[in-house]
Amino acid sequence: MRASTAFHCLLSCAVLRAPSQRTVDTTQALYIWIFVLSCYNCYNDTGRSKIVGDVEKQPGGGRCKEKTGAAFVKVHKAGSTTVQCILKRFGYRRHLHFVLSSSKEWKLAWPYLMKKEDYLQPIPGQPFDLLVDHTVYNREIFRNLLPNDTAYLAIVREPYSHLQSAINYFDLRRKYGLPKDDPERFFLQNPAELERAYVLSSAMNITLCKPECTHRNISKTRNLMAYDLGIPKTLWEDEDDVRDYIAQLDRDFLLVLVLEYFDESLVLLKRYMCWQLTDILYRIHNSQEYTNEGTKLSPELREAHYNWSKADYMLYQHFNRTLWEKVANEGADFYSEVKQFQHLNRVTSQFCKEEGDVSNYKQKVLEASAWNDRIVLDSNFCRLLNMGTHDYGRALKERYFAAMT
């Protein structure tokens, strides 16, 4: 805001606040209203409160109205289980209402589009607050199910790292007959043929592909992130169509986190949702170590992977770029908050190590800082921090059925 504008604001508001002994006529009353509006606009112009995708937030992590409604597209093998646990803990502590699977599985119809019979119906008079389980994103379905002020969230991961994780997690080395050493390099020399052979063999031998026999045509190596985010397979080969779809996702989503910059992403989430640092503390869930992790690709194989999983690369490049655009808008204090968050996360993770009975934990107090209130660590704090996604799933279903009786 320019200095002259600031001076005008201050002067106008000062005139309004000055005592007057005169009778106010109609013309004077009109000027007063003009000055009131001027003061209001000046307040907004100073940056006291910003609007980010319909969510009020304040620079520097200042206090604002906490937002509780969110839909998280749980992208496979992208650190999404850790984010899911953060969101489940947040909702569980506040007795919020989740979209829960009507089956025994911990997913909402994935790999198919969600239908009404796939989820437990809402408690009468209580709309859904949170959707965080595996499902395929569909704009119309989500918006018909969730309130208008729902914040849409997702997470992406560098595509080659994502491929490594998928090969390890889904046991594709065994299923595709890949060598133990550097299986990705072997796979990328002929990915289409290896996938085709696997689909044909699993169709003939149904015991081979359990438990994913019902969706064996869903590739775990090709554009899996794009699939989870609802980009139709028919668009994958056309870069312009993929780019247009990503642009729509960018309009739909408040924030797409990036696994490689997880802490920065979470602090952005905290600011956009007007949460506290304690709300985004985490323990890493569903993470596995494997010997080929971090292997680098030659330029030739990188190009082969890009051509095989082009939509995923386009997704990652776009949302990695927009993440840093959002960070740049946060001001210089952003990194101070990230540093404090990382410190708190280290301390709480160390304190809440899953060793022995949590009821034996002694209380620990973390003093307030510019970024957090005073935090009391105790057995209940650690119990909620350590709970996994299935633990929360069972607890949320128990709470749901108790409310329905």
Side-chain angles (χ1 to χ4, degrees), residues 247-264:
Q248 182 61 56
L249 290 175
D250 202 9
R251 291 189 290 270
D252 290 349
F253 281 69
L254 172 68
L255 178 65
V256 175
L257 296 82
V258 176
L259 177 60
E260 286 72 26
Y261 308 103
F262 195 63
D263 291 344
E264 292 88 345

Side-chain angles (χ1 to χ4, degrees), residues 80-117:
S80 60
T81 300
T82 300
V83 180
Q84 182 191 42
C85 287
I86 291 171
L87 295 169
K88 284 187 173 181
R89 184 179 76 239
F90 177 88
Y92 182 79
R93 290 182 62 239
R94 290 160 176 78
H95 289 260
L96 301 179
H97 303 284
F98 286 76
V99 181
L100 299 171
S101 173
S102 56
S103 74
K104 293 181 180 180
E105 295 185 329
W106 304 106
K107 59 184 180 180
L108 294 163
W110 193 95
Y112 309 109
L113 293 178
M114 183 171 48
K115 302 183 295 297
K116 187 174 182 179
E117 58 266 30

Side-chain angles (χ1 to χ4, degrees), residues 10-22 24 32:
L10 292 172
L11 179 61
S12 300
C13 293
V15 169
L16 280 174
R17 290 195 296 267
S20 174
Q21 304 300 322
R22 296 178 297 153
V24 179
I32 289 173

Side-chain angles (χ1 to χ4, degrees), residues 105 107 110-112 170 174-175 198-218 220:
E105 295 185 329
K107 59 184 180 180
W110 193 95
Y112 309 109
F170 295 114
R174 177 183 63 83
K175 294 175 181 178
Y198 169 67
V199 170
L200 288 174
S201 64
S202 61
M204 291 184 290
N205 183 2
I206 197 163
T207 61
L208 180 66
C209 64
K210 285 183 179 180
E212 68 270 19
C213 295
T214 56
H215 48 82
R216 57 180 171 266
N217 289 325
I218 307 302
K220 306 301 191 302

Side-chain angles (χ1 to χ4, degrees), residues 208-319:
L208 180 66
C209 64
K210 285 183 179 180
E212 68 270 19
C213 295
T214 56
H215 48 82
R216 57 180 171 266
N217 289 325
I218 307 302
S219 175
K220 306 301 191 302
T221 66
R222 188 182 186 215
N223 294 324
L224 183 56
M225 293 189 290
Y227 185 88
D228 286 340
L229 282 162
I231 302 181
K233 285 183 170 183
T234 54
L235 303 184
W236 287 357
E237 294 301 322
D238 191 311
E239 290 192 15
D240 289 336
D241 286 342
V242 173
R243 194 173 292 110
D244 289 344
Y245 196 99
I246 291 173
Q248 182 61 56
L249 290 175
D250 202 9
R251 291 189 290 270
D252 290 349
F253 281 69
L254 172 68
L255 178 65
V256 175
L257 296 82
V258 176
L259 177 60
E260 286 72 26
Y261 308 103
F262 195 63
D263 291 344
E264 292 88 345
S265 296
L266 286 177
V267 172
L268 274 178
L269 173 66
K270 173 258 180 188
R271 289 187 174 201
Y272 284 10
M273 299 294 283
C274 300
W275 291 359
Q276 301 301 309
L277 284 183
T278 48
D279 295 322
I280 59 171
L281 295 171
Y282 64 90
R283 299 289 302 273
I284 295 175
H285 293 274
N286 202 25
S287 176
Q288 298 178 337
E289 294 184 1
Y290 40 96
T291 57
N292 56 312
E293 187 174 9
T295 304
K296 301 298 183 182
L297 275 181
S298 66
E300 294 77 17
L301 285 179
R302 175 69 71 180
E303 183 179 4
H305 188 222
Y306 178 87
N307 291 333
W308 175 246
S309 205
K310 186 182 302 182
D312 272 5
Y313 272 92
M314 294 177 68
L315 266 174
Y316 182 79
Q317 289 165 359
H318 177 88
F319 287 112

